[in-house]
Amino acid sequence: MRIENSFIPVEGVGETTERRLWERGATTWDEFDPGVDVPGMGATTADRIESFIADALARLDDGDADYFDRKFPSGERWRLYENFREETCFFDIETTGLDERRDRVTTVSFHQGGETTTLVAGEDLTARRLREQFADASLLATFNGARFDVPFLETSFDVDVDTPHLDLMYPAKRIGLSGGLKPIEKQLGIERDRPDISGRDAVRLWREYERGDEEALATLVSYNREDTVNLRALADAVCAALDEEVFVAAPDGDGD
């Protein structure tokens, strides 16, 4: 599903009205006809839709993800993914614990445009490098990053992570997938090249590296990188499932 299929950012358009628009043939902005009778949509709402489309088309041409991040309800942010897929930065952090005020970030991996980069504490993990990584992204994607990864980075490095952010934990829950990243991957058939390690293992590997075990760092980095790469597969699967549920099923008139 693409941004151009969406009318829900418009004031006065909820899920039911949007579905009715799709059912009457307005599946994209170009197909919207203010003269078509849509139950629950009056002339004022039709005018708002036309105004939104005019503004949104220009913003989309400019690649302005921030505009759509502001316009879409938070629960519908997944709809930005298809348009900004190639400019999405998937990232994941490893830490020495769960408290951003006391514990340290050890590694951060980024996956964007088919390339994966890992920053390591004590080497190249700095505020400047973090800002550089985020600067090239139109959209960020994490799993539980809104509650963990982003606050940890902001507190630890005094950076503002203000790029539009898709936390995949929430759209995954919407399609009935709950629990941690690894169980959800298994449910979706997303495979891993390496045996799984726990968060406790990640802390142990870092401590071993601090005592001089370079192989422990290599294992930790490999694990962190695989987490990040698999986020793209997760985003593809979750957004495709939501597309099927929300948009493709709309002409049948089911739901709502």
Side-chain angles (χ1 to χ4, degrees), residues 149-170:
D149 302 67
V150 169
F152 231 111
L153 291 181
E154 290 184 330
T155 299
S156 300
F157 295 94
D158 193 25
V159 296
D160 292 323
V161 184
D162 53 8
T163 304
H165 179 196
L166 173 61
D167 187 333
L168 292 164
M169 184 174 71
Y170 299 103

Side-chain angles (χ1 to χ4, degrees), residues 180-190 192 226-227 230:
L181 177 61
K182 314 306 183 300
I184 288 175
E185 287 177 353
K186 290 179 180 178
Q187 291 179 67
L188 293 173
I190 299 172
R192 285 180 169 260
E226 192 166 34
D227 270 357
N230 278 11

Side-chain angles (χ1 to χ4, degrees), residues 19 35 39 65 86 88 103 131 138 157 216 240-241:
R19 185 177 292 270
E86 295 309 314
T88 298
D103 296 307
R131 293 189 187 101
S138 296
F157 295 94

Side-chain angles (χ1 to χ4, degrees), residues 3-70:
I3 290 172
E4 303 96 309
N5 304 123
S6 302
F7 298 91
I8 204 166
V10 179
E11 182 184 353
V13 178
E15 293 179 11
T16 299
T17 300
E18 183 179 58
R19 185 177 292 270
R20 287 170 178 166
L21 283 162
W22 292 334
E23 290 169 351
R24 282 154 180 78
T27 55
T28 68
W29 297 340
D30 288 341
E31 295 167 320
F32 174 70
D33 181 353
V36 173
D37 181 41
V38 177
M41 188 188 80
T44 299
T45 301
D47 288 344
R48 287 175 181 155
I49 292 174
E50 286 194 295
S51 177
F52 166 73
I53 291 172
D55 193 15
L57 282 169
R59 300 284 190 147
L60 197 56
D61 284 343
D62 291 340
D64 189 351
D66 293 282
Y67 169 81
F68 295 104
D69 185 58
R70 295 192 303 270

Side-chain angles (χ1 to χ4, degrees), residues 3 14 29 31-32 34 67 76 81 93 104 139 178 239 256:
I3 290 172
W29 297 340
E31 295 167 320
F32 174 70
Y67 169 81
E76 302 298 329
Y81 178 64
I93 73 173
R104 297 175 59 205
L139 183 68
S178 59
C239 291
D256 290 337

Side-chain angles (χ1 to χ4, degrees), residues 202-217:
V203 175
R204 173 182 56 78
L205 287 167
W206 180 257
R207 297 305 185 200
E208 291 175 0
Y209 163 67
E210 288 185 313
R211 292 193 292 270
D213 187 346
E214 293 289 338
E215 187 60 32
L217 176 62

Side-chain angles (χ1 to χ4, degrees), residues 97-104 147-148 151-153 155-156:
L98 302 178
D99 187 341
E100 68 264 28
R101 297 173 187 82
R102 182 184 62 199
D103 296 307
R104 297 175 59 205
R147 295 192 305 182
F148 185 73
F152 231 111
L153 291 181
T155 299
S156 300

Side-chain angles (χ1 to χ4, degrees), residues 169-179 183-184 187-188 238 241-242 245:
M169 184 174 71
Y170 299 103
K173 284 183 178 180
R174 185 167 169 179
I175 60 171
L177 298 172
S178 59
I184 288 175
Q187 291 179 67
L188 293 173
V238 168
L242 280 168
E245 176 183 301

